[in-house]
Amino acid sequence: MNMHIVLLYGCAVAVIVPGIRLLTTLAAADGGETPPPVALLRAWRRPVPGVAVGLLAAMVVLGVLQTVVPGTINALARHPHGAWWRAVTALAVQSSGWIQLLFNLAALAVVAPVAERQFGPWRTMLVFAASGVTAQAVSMAGWSVRGGGDSVAICGLVGALATWYAVRGSVVALRWVSLLVPAAGLVLCLLTNNHGVGLLVGAALGVGLTVPARSPLSA
């Protein structure tokens, strides 16, 4: 196993481990100690987070479409010298097939409702779109000219939640641990991995989102 792979796995751990704790803390309705599965299910309580539902439904429909019509991936994914709009449409297809599709659907189902309750619907969509499109554009510029997937946009939501919590969170230890997420994003960028772009763009937006948003979902 070479150093590149070691660093990739290290970055994954630095995002996933603090990320689960962060999502669990934010999703817990009473702010107490709650097992992660229970806390994360509470993020889907009423009022139902509409943007999260919409994103998840859209990705399910697009996943079925790319399975039934395989040419969908080629039509929407990144290509060498591809048109600029592919930086947007590449978010709609999962070019690595069912494993990527199922993993990203699960990640979206966990992250999106927590982000929406924290930031509100429009800010959540802003972070998702800005981080995802930026990462896809950087990939098209030379980092990874073929492919597609929305994991870079999901990383953006995690990055935004991490920096928001680092500034405004109530648990001091978790505030410091949350900084591992943008740090991992920086390392991934040095490795020319597009998930690092998603994390850093989301992290930058998360700092701006430290101003509380008015949202009925925050109740």
Side-chain angles (χ1 to χ4, degrees):
M1 185 178 294
N2 60 38
M3 184 56 65
H4 183 89
I5 299 298
V6 171
L7 288 172
L8 285 178
Y9 278 115
C11 289
V13 171
V15 172
I16 293 172
V17 174
I20 291 174
R21 180 58 183 163
L22 176 64
L23 291 168
T24 301
T25 299
L26 292 173
D30 56 6
E33 289 292 329
T34 307
V38 175
L40 295 172
L41 282 174
R42 287 183 181 177
W44 288 100
R45 67 189 182 275
R46 294 183 178 180
V48 177
V51 165
V53 170
L55 285 173
L56 197 60
M59 291 306 168
V60 169
V61 170
L62 289 164
V64 172
L65 179 62
Q66 76 171 54
T67 302
V68 176
V69 186
T72 303
I73 297 176
N74 187 61
L76 301 179
R78 302 187 305 272
H79 284 299
H81 312 296
W84 64 268
W85 48 263
R86 289 183 181 271
V88 178
T89 60
L91 291 171
V93 291
Q94 316 300 323
S95 58
S96 296
W98 275 104
I99 293 178
Q100 182 187 17
L101 176 61
L102 293 176
F103 182 86
N104 286 352
L105 283 174
L108 186 63
V110 169
V111 176
V114 177
E116 186 172 352
R117 289 190 181 280
Q118 194 60 52
F119 300 138
W122 299 113
R123 292 183 177 191
T124 297
M125 274 303 304
L126 170 64
V127 174
F128 184 90
S131 54
V133 171
T134 302
Q136 298 288 356
V138 170
S139 296
M140 290 176 63
W143 281 18
S144 179
V145 294
R146 294 185 183 274
D150 64 335
S151 58
V152 289
I154 298 170
C155 282
L157 295 177
V158 175
L161 288 169
T163 52
W164 181 92
Y165 198 90
V167 174
R168 299 185 60 87
S170 58
V171 181
V172 175
L174 184 55
R175 290 175 66 180
W176 283 104
V177 171
S178 295
L179 293 176
L180 289 173
V181 174
L186 178 59
V187 174
L188 287 171
C189 283
L190 294 175
L191 297 174
T192 64
N193 185 292
N194 59 4
H195 294 87
V197 177
L199 286 168
L200 288 185
V201 172
L205 291 172
V207 174
L209 293 175
T210 54
V211 177
R214 289 181 175 273
S215 171
L217 291 173
S218 61

